[in-house]
Amino acid sequence: MTKSFEKSVQANKRLQDLIPGGAHTYAKGEDQYPFEMAPVIDHGAGAHVWDVDGHEYIEYGSGLRAVSLGHAHPKVVEAVQREIGRGSNFVRPSIVELAAAERFLASVPTAEMVKFAKNGSDATTAAVKLARAVTGRPLIALCSDHAFFSIDDWFITRTPMSAGIPDEIGELTVGFPYGDLAATEEVLRRHEGRIACLILEAATQHEPPAGYLEGLRDLAHRYGALLIFDEMITGFRFSEAGAQGLYGVAPDLSTFGKALGNGFAVSALAGKREFMERGGLRDSHERVFLLSTTHGAETHALAAAVAVMDVYAEEGVAARLHERGERLAKGVREVAAAAGVQDHVLVRGRASNLVFATLDENLEPSQPYRTLFLRELLLGGVIGPSFVVSAALTDEDIDRTVAVVAGACEVYRAALDAGDPRGWTGGRPVKPVFRRYV
């Protein structure tokens, strides 16, 4: 150990005493980091953050992929400060809401209407509720291979943390596998006339098989269901028009968030007019209580979103994210190979959305080896549960990261040779987010 985390350890104890889990997102929990090495952040700028102990880190996965431009981007900060000084929430819509809707639909032309909210779960739950109203069907089919869709019961019922959710609710959600149209059609056939929608991420760690998204859209429509893309991660990070723009397949409904606000709380439900109007004032069908949130249209958050979309368009941010990720992935793969751990330390995913995998002696995913790897990164001044890049990363940042990874890979090799990583983990291993007991 060459760093003292004393202040972070004390702050984490206080956080645990006052906040269930010690964080407001489980993925940010102390249990996701090596024992007594979970930094509590004091502030950030660009691609760097500083913890309460004064340590500086190069940061990846900023804000769980939300901060794609870097912390405190000047154009976003300027837009937010301007609107806060004019009032942030009124008894009627602000003209900023119109500006944000027009800007969003110009960026994502495959959608015809949009409604804003504050978090991704609100948007995805509104999407599946709307699909149920449109089709008159009770079941939701979600992609079983994708990690997260919502904090709400319809999704959490399918995780190990389903305590508090009646079994009857779980019976209303079914799963289908990614990339397998035949298996998905079998699910639709088994529940024929009862599935309201298919919801999935258009892509995650692997590109969609040729023709898959088009085939899935056609399959959903053939069985009378809607197709929903969860673009919380892919939106803006894959392209300014989202995955639907990149792959040329327009879903019936889609949801956006994370990178849309560069850290400010804003999400979006978007889709075809014929469906979105069900939540409006001009449709003759039974009304849908679609999204109605007190803070959903706060002016400063929508101004942040407009600024983000402008910066993406003016500065080619999506292309830069891919270029930064490609440079990082190449460097990590090279130093992993040099240390002889290229089969154990893996970089996966689209260049703008990289994750790393840590495999044991049997090439199986390993939490102890992940702990070892995270620990060496932290000691070297790199923090992140992934290698998801921000546009603020410099060449120097990436080169420094690769050098730290090289050192981590040497330690990884030593642990593999010893047949046991426990001597290098510093204590209990990091834990999966979804588990039934502590």
Side-chain angles (χ1 to χ4, degrees), residues 171-218:
E171 294 169 2
L172 295 175
T173 300
V174 298
F176 66 91
Y178 186 79
D180 190 334
L181 292 175
T184 304
E185 183 165 16
E186 174 56 32
V187 172
L188 288 163
R189 186 182 297 117
R190 189 184 321 131
H191 303 283
E192 189 157 6
R194 289 176 53 79
I195 292 180
C197 61
L198 304 179
I199 181 169
L200 74 160
E201 295 179 74
T204 53
Q205 294 183 21
H206 305 285
E207 290 292 290
Y212 171 65
L213 296 176
E214 296 89 340
L216 192 67
R217 175 199 59 202
D218 296 344

Side-chain angles (χ1 to χ4, degrees), residues 8-48:
S8 286
V9 169
Q10 293 303 314
N12 277 314
K13 182 181 184 304
R14 290 163 58 200
L15 285 164
Q16 291 272 9
D17 288 344
L18 301 176
I19 300 167
H24 286 88
T25 306
Y26 284 114
K28 295 183 182 181
E30 183 182 6
D31 59 343
Q32 301 302 294
Y33 289 82
F35 181 63
E36 295 193 340
M37 289 182 66
V40 175
I41 304 303
D42 181 79
H43 67 284
H48 291 236

Side-chain angles (χ1 to χ4, degrees), residues 7-249:
K7 290 182 180 179
S8 286
V9 169
Q10 293 303 314
N12 277 314
K13 182 181 184 304
R14 290 163 58 200
L15 285 164
Q16 291 272 9
D17 288 344
L18 301 176
I19 300 167
H24 286 88
T25 306
Y26 284 114
K28 295 183 182 181
E30 183 182 6
D31 59 343
Q32 301 302 294
Y33 289 82
F35 181 63
E36 295 193 340
M37 289 182 66
V40 175
I41 304 303
D42 181 79
H43 67 284
H48 291 236
V49 295
W50 288 258
D51 69 15
V52 293
D53 290 286
H55 306 311
E56 180 180 354
Y57 304 91
I58 303 167
E59 187 193 39
Y60 292 89
S62 315
L64 304 182
R65 297 179 171 87
V67 185
S68 61
L69 301 181
H71 298 292
H73 189 280
K75 291 184 179 179
V76 178
V77 170
E78 179 186 359
V80 169
Q81 289 175 333
R82 180 182 66 246
E83 290 304 326
I84 283 180
R86 290 160 46 86
S88 62
N89 207 334
F90 311 106
V91 75
R92 279 281 293 147
S94 162
I95 194 66
V96 178
E97 296 176 48
L98 176 60
E102 290 175 337
R103 186 65 187 83
F104 179 91
L105 294 171
S107 185
V108 187
T110 39
E112 296 171 327
M113 296 187 81
V114 62
K115 194 158 191 182
F116 296 108
K118 300 307 283 184
N119 64 71
S121 294
D122 285 349
T124 53
T125 293
V128 299
K129 177 170 58 178
L130 183 55
R132 281 170 162 162
V134 167
T135 63
R137 297 174 174 183
L139 301 187
I140 298 163
L142 57 80
C143 184
S144 302
D145 298 317
H146 294 166
F148 189 81
F149 289 103
S150 175
I151 65 168
D152 293 310
D153 290 357
W154 63 270
F155 170 69
I156 298 298
T157 185
R158 291 183 59 85
T159 75
M161 293 179 70
S162 60
I165 303 174
D167 292 342
E168 293 82 356
I169 291 177
E171 294 169 2
L172 295 175
T173 300
V174 298
F176 66 91
Y178 186 79
D180 190 334
L181 292 175
T184 304
E185 183 165 16
E186 174 56 32
V187 172
L188 288 163
R189 186 182 297 117
R190 189 184 321 131
H191 303 283
E192 189 157 6
R194 289 176 53 79
I195 292 180
C197 61
L198 304 179
I199 181 169
L200 74 160
E201 295 179 74
T204 53
Q205 294 183 21
H206 305 285
E207 290 292 290
Y212 171 65
L213 296 176
E214 296 89 340
L216 192 67
R217 175 199 59 202
D218 296 344
L219 189 61
H221 292 169
R222 191 184 319 145
Y223 281 85
L226 301 192
L227 179 65
I228 303 171
F229 283 172
D230 179 339
E231 295 242 37
M232 290 298 156
I233 293 172
T234 56
F236 298 95
R237 187 166 284 281
F238 276 36
S239 86
E240 290 86 348
Q244 56 197 275
L246 179 67
Y247 298 120
V249 176

